[in-house]
Amino acid sequence: IGESMTAISHNSLVENINEVKKIFGAIGAVAEVDESEMDAVTALSGSGPAYLFYLADSMIEAGERAGLDRETSKELTLETLLAASKLLKNAEVEASDLIAKVASKGGTTESALSVFNEKGLKAIIEEGILKAKKRSEELSKG
């Protein structure tokens, strides 16, 4: 799809890290991290597409339960996620600021967010990512 996120780390033996970044940059974004952070990268970004797919699947199914046909629910979900991702990527504010901008006091978004907060969705997501990091550490030790 011509998009990716690659994390790289290196030591002093790498003579031209800029060439490495250029190679990986040809297919997407590149982040330089310390090698000790690679398990966190794996948990967040390596597994990240599945988290988004999970969210999309949940939204599509919820749309159906709310009365939409599957194709309409899927199209609405995918275009919403795409547009929101682009907005978030280009915004000069934090995700929490964008949430506040779309969550009108007493409105529908605030209503849904209150359920997410009551159920501890943020903590569940964090726990899952930290568990993935732990598993990455286990796998890297052999």
Side-chain angles (χ1 to χ4, degrees):
I1 62 169
E3 300 279 344
S4 73
M5 181 69 237
T6 302
I8 59 172
S9 62
H10 64 92
N11 60 26
S12 60
L13 298 176
V14 176
E15 293 182 14
N16 194 344
I17 190 62
N18 290 328
E19 284 297 314
V20 174
K21 288 180 183 178
K22 186 177 177 182
I23 291 167
F24 285 107
I27 59 168
V30 178
E32 190 173 336
V33 299
D34 189 82
E35 187 173 356
S36 65
E37 299 171 317
M38 288 305 262
D39 292 315
V41 168
T42 298
L44 184 63
S45 185
S47 298
Y51 310 152
L52 184 65
F53 303 154
Y54 190 93
L55 174 63
D57 187 53
S58 299
M59 290 174 68
I60 293 165
E61 288 181 11
E64 285 183 283
R65 290 188 62 197
L68 298 170
D69 65 81
R70 183 158 187 88
E71 284 309 307
T72 301
S73 185
K74 183 176 180 180
E75 181 179 17
L76 287 166
T77 296
L78 298 182
E79 291 302 322
T80 299
L81 291 175
L82 179 62
S85 293
K86 286 180 179 181
L87 177 61
L88 182 58
K89 183 176 182 176
N90 295 317
E92 295 183 8
V93 296
E94 296 295 320
S96 58
D97 297 319
L98 294 173
I99 292 168
K101 286 182 186 233
V102 299
S104 305
K105 185 89 171 137
T108 58
T109 305
E110 185 182 68
S111 180
L113 293 172
S114 72
V115 173
F116 298 162
N117 289 329
E118 282 175 27
K119 301 288 184 177
L121 182 58
K122 190 177 255 189
I124 291 167
I125 292 168
E126 182 178 322
E127 184 179 341
I129 291 170
L130 293 176
K131 182 148 184 165
K133 178 182 182 268
K134 182 179 178 187
R135 182 64 180 141
S136 180
E137 290 168 346
E138 293 167 356
L139 291 170
S140 67
K141 290 178 184 168

